[in-house]
């Protein structure tokens, strides 16, 4: 069976509650009738519950942008997996490059978050990707391998089926520089090979791998035509229903 395409919008630090609800209201209308594509949106924490309420009865899923691994306690400012479940999240983005870059996220903390999410039945969108320097120095594949192994450390095979991987070259995020479809395909192909060798053939074949990095309505079709790309994690272009819905409707182009 083929892998179901999965398009997710990462709204980052954007949208008030009112704006977020307004955006999903428009989105529900603009992607109604789309079949065989799974869609999720990741608003900021403050808008999650209101967006969840607005999404009730729709097929769009709710994702959080981050979580903390503890269930409760003296961790000022953090949000637990249970809290995210309570406000209707099914997915959670983990290890986004902006968290690695600006908030000290490491492979070890990514792994702790992965375990905590899976423990509560949240599906991780597990992000990885190289910086321009790492690419230019020829370290892309070793870096990806390290991030992959680090994030998946000590996870059981049963947990693999809930994981989505997002390959996001850091140099392409928010820069308008998209990888060519061929460049974007190289790493997901490598990820699948490594997963088969290190974990299991089933995991390698079934896991969905998104591409992220300046995805637009203009480039989505070329990216989705690649064998190992099963979807997109979309930042900037997910902030308007017009552009995001065109990306979701890539099959109609
Ligand atoms: C992202 O934040 O995951 C992302 C890919 O952003 P953008 O689409 O704006 O490059």
């Amino acid at each position: 069976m083929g892998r179901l395409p999965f398009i997710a919008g990462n709204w980052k630090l954007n949208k008030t509650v009112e704006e977020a609800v307004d955006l999903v209201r428009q989105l529900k209308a603009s992607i109604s009738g789309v079949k065989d594509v799974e869609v999720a949106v990741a608003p900021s924490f403050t808008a999650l519950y209101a967006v969840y309420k607005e999404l009730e009865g729709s097929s769009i899923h709710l994702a959080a942008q981050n979580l903390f691994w503890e269930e409760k306690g003296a961790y000022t400012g953090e949000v637990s997996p249970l809290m995210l479940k309570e406000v209707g999240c099914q997915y959670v983005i983990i290890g986004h490059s902006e968290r690695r870059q600006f908030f000290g996220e490491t492979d070890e903390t990514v792994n702790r978050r992965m375990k905590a999410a899976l423990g509560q039945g949240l599906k991780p969108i597990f992000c990885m990707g190289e910086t321009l320097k790492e690419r230019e120095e020829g370290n892309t594949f070793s870096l990806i391998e390290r991030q992959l192994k680090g994030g998946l450390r000590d996870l059981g095979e049963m947990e693999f089926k809930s994981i989505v991987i997002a390959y996001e070259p850091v140099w392409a995020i928010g820069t308008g520089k998209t990888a060519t479809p061929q460049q974007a395909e190289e790493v997901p192909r490598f990820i699948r090979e490594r997963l088969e060798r290190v974990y299991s053939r089933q995991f390698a074949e079934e896991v969905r791998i998104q591409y992220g990095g300046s995805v637009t309505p203009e480039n989505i079709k070329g990216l989705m035509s690649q064998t190992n790309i099963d979807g997109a994690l979309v930042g900037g272009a997910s902030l308007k229903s017009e552009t995001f819905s065109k990306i979701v409707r890539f099959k109609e182009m």
Side-chain angles (χ1 to χ4, degrees):
M1 220 178 66
R3 297 180 290 267
L4 182 68
F6 181 30
I7 309 283
N10 173 14
W11 296 357
K12 310 191 188 190
L13 182 54
N14 292 292
K15 308 282 177 198
T16 61
V17 175
E18 198 182 333
E19 289 165 348
V21 170
D22 195 43
L23 176 54
V24 288
R25 200 171 286 145
Q26 291 174 35
L27 207 54
K28 281 194 301 186
S30 58
I31 66 169
S32 73
V34 175
K35 289 202 181 72
D36 303 328
V37 178
E38 186 176 354
V39 179
V41 291
S44 55
F45 288 136
T46 52
L48 284 172
Y49 189 62
V51 169
Y52 164 67
K53 288 307 238 181
E54 185 60 40
L55 287 179
E56 270 177 339
S58 105
S59 60
I60 302 174
H61 294 134
L62 189 64
Q65 298 177 20
N66 187 26
L67 51 54
F68 188 56
W69 52 82
E70 294 292 344
E71 236 171 72
K72 59 180 168 185
Y75 304 104
T76 304
E78 294 299 333
V79 173
S80 77
L82 187 65
M83 290 168 176
L84 297 180
K85 283 284 281 189
E86 191 189 18
V87 294
C89 291
Q90 290 193 11
Y91 286 95
V92 56
I93 299 172
I94 296 181
H96 191 280
S97 65
E98 285 151 16
R99 301 237 35 110
R100 294 181 192 254
Q101 215 177 327
F102 305 131
F103 301 99
E105 193 85 73
T106 63
D107 292 333
E108 200 220 317
T109 58
V110 166
N111 181 243
R112 294 181 86 160
R113 290 181 214 278
M114 293 284 288
K115 287 178 185 157
L118 290 161
Q120 269 308 332
L122 284 164
K123 299 175 185 177
I125 300 176
F126 167 32
C127 303
M128 61 195 68
E130 79 287 0
T131 60
L132 188 59
K133 185 166 179 279
E134 285 156 347
R135 173 163 281 259
E136 286 175 349
E137 287 173 355
N139 293 329
T140 299
F141 294 109
S142 56
L143 184 274
I144 292 292
E145 175 141 31
R146 195 205 76 204
Q147 291 184 334
L148 193 63
K149 282 193 181 157
L152 297 177
R153 183 159 298 131
D154 300 329
L155 294 183
E157 210 161 306
M158 282 297 289
E159 295 167 305
F160 292 160
K161 64 180 185 320
S162 305
I163 298 170
V164 174
I165 292 175
Y167 165 56
E168 302 202 292
V170 179
W171 49 271
I173 296 180
T175 57
K177 282 188 215 154
T178 330
T180 63
Q182 293 70 25
Q183 267 176 332
E185 163 73 0
E186 268 172 17
V187 172
R189 190 193 305 126
F190 171 80
I191 291 173
R192 249 182 251 289
E193 281 165 14
R194 297 312 296 165
L195 291 179
E196 175 163 359
R197 194 167 312 169
V198 181
Y199 301 94
S200 77
R201 177 149 195 204
Q202 193 181 0
F203 184 25
E205 278 174 5
E206 290 178 2
V207 71
R208 289 182 295 175
I209 305 180
Q210 298 175 313
Y211 167 81
S214 300
V215 173
T216 63
E218 288 70 41
N219 58 31
I220 185 70
K221 186 101 184 164
L223 292 162
M224 291 304 291
S225 67
Q226 301 300 308
T227 315
N228 289 291
I229 298 178
D230 309 309
L233 183 54
V234 186
S238 71
L239 295 174
K240 289 199 175 122
S241 81
E242 201 198 340
T243 40
F244 192 59
S245 60
K246 280 187 186 154
I247 292 172
V248 170
R249 290 180 174 278
F250 71 92
K251 288 185 183 173
E252 297 162 28
M253 287 179 195

